[in-house]
Amino acid sequence: MSLRTGHDPLAGTRPAFLPDQDTPIDPVRRERDLRAILAHPRPVVRPAPRRLSVASLVAAGAVVVAVVIGTTTASEVPGQDESPRAVLLAVADATATTAAPTPGRYWHVRQHSTSVEAMWPGRDHDAYLVVVDSGAESWTSRTGADRSVDVSQLDLRTRALTERDQAEWDKAGNPVGIPDAEPTPGAPPPPPMPRTVPPSAQWLAGAQVFRIGGVETSVAEVLALPTDGARLKEFLLERFRANPPTGGEPTEETEWLMWEADTLIGGRVPTTPGTRAAAYEMLAGLPGFRVMGGGEVPEGMVGVAREVRTGWNYTIENALVEWQVIIDPDTGSLREWRLVLVEPGSEERRLPAGTVIHAVTVEQVGWVDTDPIVPDDADQFGTVR
Amino acid sequence: VVAIEALDEENAADAEKRLRRMYDESYGRLLAYALGYLDRPSAEEIVSETFLIAWRRLADAPVPELPWLFGIARNLIRERYRADRRLRDLCVELSAQADTGTGDIADDVTERAAALRALAELGDLDRELLTLLAWHGLTNREAAEVLGIRPSTLLVRVHRARRRLRAAMAPTDAGSPGRAPSFPSLSEEIP
């Protein structure tokens, strides 16, 4: 039996006698109402409240210390009807009822990422931790007739995580970004990292592919991915068994499915609302999730989270982190993806629980017909214009 | 003193401007909402009072204001009237009208009538929730704010309410639309 409710059967049932937003207001009534209201003492006006979103904290590279886990207040405790499975199925339903957009020339994504990065010791400084912020924007040609482009390192900024890190970062000369490779013992030291980094634009010609389930998948194939949770899981697991992960993806089946679901809902791949709904259905069938409390997600958003033990492919190895996804309840679109430290790993014990190790905020996503916009100061690579 | 008075005048002008904007932007939608539960004179009275309360609490008004205004109107209706029955009766009446309607496509008319009949059979909270979305055009986020519940709770309730609606619309063996299955009373879930 399908878990989805399909189109809204109440569409077209709105009673005709109900006025709509554009119905003119009776001017006599309006004048009488406003005169009566304004005759009452006027209110004391304070500045409009500013809502501090979790997103803005993440964007600012904030370290959320020990408040991320288990901070729901009594009124925010999820009710019995709010199991992770129920919430994810409801998100799937909301996603599936979103109208599928008409594919355009490009699949366009703009996102912002924040990550805590460990820097190796150098000749003049000890190891230290920094928070690296940057934007990225990509235009992927649907047919291959247009050139695709990935723009990264937009407004790249780096700052030390703590005062102790600040001292070491200062000794290192306040470089920005992430080093290309770990220094080799005995080899000459790598050239110093720059203090400013321009945006980078990688141009790509021809048909583009996305890596889904370890297999290169064309745009047309992405648009035809399964739209049912069980079929999508079966489809992915077939690829998982045929192509065991070797490139840094999780090797455990459930975590690998989470990883793949993140790819399908995260905006980087032009999946249809039906396939995104299927990915949420697939997640609903996985164990270990919890529904995030109101204080943990930006106002009006829905969040689910699951703990994961990090491997070598994470910045912080052998730590317990929480994989958190923040979803827009109106569209089912993924708004933020975060990894938050629950228990420090073996290497970086000094990092406090609650540190946002990595966060990606999706700012814009969808099909566009307009040309890509590349900053004038970007270093450009790939296919010549 | 002169400076403070000047500031107060500016605040007063801003407050009045904001109230007038809210009134012009939201009056029709609030009246439509109230008319789902009340006769026209009572609905107009509730909407007027909603804006009076909004004026008094303007300092606390969020932006955008619409869900907040819906919430004030909802509280007033629930405090003063036993209005849930009227919404249910309205659905019954509308389904009867749809049954005899003259739609361009017979199937659409039949489905509309069945949907309205099923809506009348749902619990009060399901009916309120589904009409907030389908009749009054609120988004899921806005509806959660109106009802004072978390967006995740709202999503789950919408999902379940739509499933119950579908179940109530499904034909029975006798060929007539089925009744909504028996579910635990939703009124116990009101926060």
Side-chain angles (χ1 to χ4, degrees):
Chain A
M1 188 181 97
S2 172
L3 297 168
R4 299 199 197 144
T5 57
H7 85 279
D8 185 359
L10 295 179
T13 62
R14 188 178 195 270
F17 75 88
L18 298 181
D20 59 33
Q21 193 172 5
D22 301 327
T23 306
I25 304 170
D26 174 4
V28 176
R29 169 130 218 131
R30 179 180 184 277
E31 194 52 38
R32 195 174 62 208
D33 271 356
L34 289 173
R35 199 178 327 117
I37 293 167
L38 293 170
H40 283 74
R42 64 183 168 77
V44 176
V45 178
R46 296 196 294 259
R50 290 184 62 195
R51 292 176 177 173
L52 188 61
S53 71
V54 178
S56 66
L57 285 173
V58 170
V63 178
V64 186
V65 179
V67 296
V68 173
I69 311 302
T71 54
T72 53
T73 62
S75 63
E76 292 169 339
V77 172
Q80 60 176 5
D81 58 351
E82 232 193 298
S83 67
R85 176 177 163 77
V87 169
L88 282 163
L89 288 177
V91 168
D93 204 26
T95 308
T97 50
T98 306
T102 306
R105 277 173 67 201
Y106 295 101
W107 180 252
H108 171 237
V109 185
R110 193 173 74 213
Q111 60 186 34
H112 179 271
S113 69
T114 298
S115 60
V116 172
E117 301 290 345
M119 310 297 281
W120 292 289
R123 203 163 35 200
D124 307 320
H125 61 88
D126 286 337
Y128 59 91
L129 296 166
V130 288
V131 179
V132 179
D133 275 295
S134 69
E137 199 162 11
S138 65
W139 287 261
T140 304
S141 170
R142 177 171 58 86
T143 61
D146 299 292
R147 285 175 307 142
S148 302
V149 62
D150 287 338
V151 183
S152 58
Q153 299 179 170
L154 286 164
D155 200 18
L156 179 73
R157 292 175 188 202
T158 298
R159 65 175 181 78
L161 184 66
T162 64
E163 282 184 17
R164 175 181 147 183
D165 297 309
Q166 181 75 47
E168 299 307 318
W169 186 46
D170 288 343
K171 288 181 200 167
N174 305 119
V176 300
I178 306 165
D180 292 332
E182 187 172 2
T184 311
M193 287 169 59
R195 296 185 64 169
T196 58
V197 175
S200 168
Q202 174 76 47
W203 290 93
L204 302 155
Q208 300 303 306
V209 292
F210 301 91
R211 199 162 185 82
I212 294 171
V215 177
E216 291 188 344
T217 309
S218 69
V219 174
E221 288 168 331
V222 166
L223 291 170
L225 284 172
T227 55
D228 168 86
R231 281 185 45 230
L232 180 66
K233 184 177 177 182
E234 190 184 338
F235 170 87
L236 290 172
L237 285 178
E238 273 177 23
R239 289 191 166 189
F240 178 77
R241 286 161 194 148
N243 309 278
T246 54
E249 304 97 324
T251 51
E252 191 272 325
E253 191 174 287
T254 298
E255 287 183 18
W256 183 82
L257 286 172
M258 275 172 51
W259 175 288
E260 290 298 323
D262 176 63
T263 301
L264 297 174
I265 62 178
R268 298 182 298 280
V269 178
T271 44
T272 62
T275 296
R276 289 196 293 279
Y280 286 123
E281 283 176 355
M282 188 176 78
L283 289 177
L286 301 181
F289 277 95
R290 73 177 181 93
V291 180
M292 295 170 70
E296 299 176 89
V297 295
E299 195 166 315
M301 295 289 144
V302 172
V304 292
R306 186 180 186 278
E307 288 184 355
V308 176
R309 177 67 62 179
T310 62
W312 63 269
N313 48 343
Y314 288 78
T315 304
I316 309 295
E317 282 187 48
N318 195 29
L320 191 62
V321 298
E322 195 171 56
W323 183 81
Q324 302 179 344
V325 290
I326 314 296
I327 302 154
D328 182 333
D330 289 328
T331 60
S333 311
L334 187 137
R335 296 288 290 269
E336 283 179 57
W337 173 92
R338 302 183 205 144
L339 278 181
V340 178
L341 190 65
V342 178
E343 283 176 13
S346 49
E347 288 187 15
E348 285 300 337
R349 291 192 182 282
R350 69 190 177 92
L351 272 182
T355 303
V356 178
I357 295 171
H358 191 189
V360 176
T361 306
V362 180
E363 297 173 334
Q364 207 170 4
V365 62
W367 291 105
V368 296
D369 290 322
T370 49
D371 290 334
I373 300 168
V374 175
D376 291 339
D377 62 339
D379 287 338
Q380 303 201 33
F381 306 93
T383 311
V384 181
R385 286 167 181 260
Chain B
V1 172
V2 171
I4 290 171
E5 279 177 355
L7 189 63
D8 282 352
E9 286 303 313
E10 193 182 329
N11 285 345
D14 285 349
E16 186 176 329
K17 198 170 157 189
R18 188 175 179 193
L19 174 79
R20 288 179 182 278
R21 178 184 55 74
M22 280 163 51
Y23 189 97
D24 291 341
E25 286 177 0
S26 310
Y27 184 89
R29 293 186 70 177
L30 290 172
L31 181 63
Y33 172 65
L35 281 169
Y37 293 94
L38 306 169
D39 59 40
R40 190 160 190 111
S42 304
E44 287 176 342
E45 188 184 323
I46 286 289
V47 176
S48 299
E49 195 161 346
T50 297
F51 284 111
L52 176 58
I53 292 172
W55 172 247
R56 286 175 173 159
R57 296 185 192 160
L58 198 62
D60 301 320
V63 178
E65 299 99 348
L66 187 71
W68 180 68
L69 292 169
F70 262 80
I72 296 173
R74 177 177 185 259
N75 286 341
L76 287 172
I77 292 170
R78 289 163 71 91
E79 282 168 15
R80 304 240 179 109
Y81 302 92
R82 294 180 61 81
D84 292 333
R85 178 178 293 271
R86 180 180 150 82
L87 179 58
R88 191 193 66 191
D89 293 347
L90 176 62
C91 294
V92 172
E93 190 183 322
L94 289 167
S95 68
Q97 286 174 12
D99 267 338
T100 57
T102 52
D104 292 336
I105 305 167
D107 281 352
D108 276 359
V109 174
T110 306
E111 180 166 342
R112 277 207 301 271
L116 287 162
R117 209 160 30 239
L119 187 61
E121 292 177 0
L122 294 183
D124 294 336
L125 273 182
D126 279 356
R127 190 161 41 246
E128 177 186 33
L129 184 52
L130 294 179
T131 52
L132 274 175
L133 301 172
W135 291 4
H136 303 299
L138 296 185
T139 64
N140 289 331
R141 290 174 70 175
E142 289 172 335
E145 206 173 328
V146 172
L147 299 175
I149 58 178
R150 294 149 44 93
S152 51
T153 307
L154 185 281
L155 276 186
V156 173
R157 288 188 184 174
V158 170
H159 180 56
R160 291 182 175 167
R162 285 196 176 136
R163 290 184 77 179
R164 286 192 271 265
L165 184 77
R166 284 271 181 216
M169 289 174 68
T172 61
D173 290 344
S176 60
R179 296 191 62 81
S182 177
F183 286 92
S185 168
L186 283 172
S187 59
E188 292 165 11
E189 295 178 8
I190 295 177

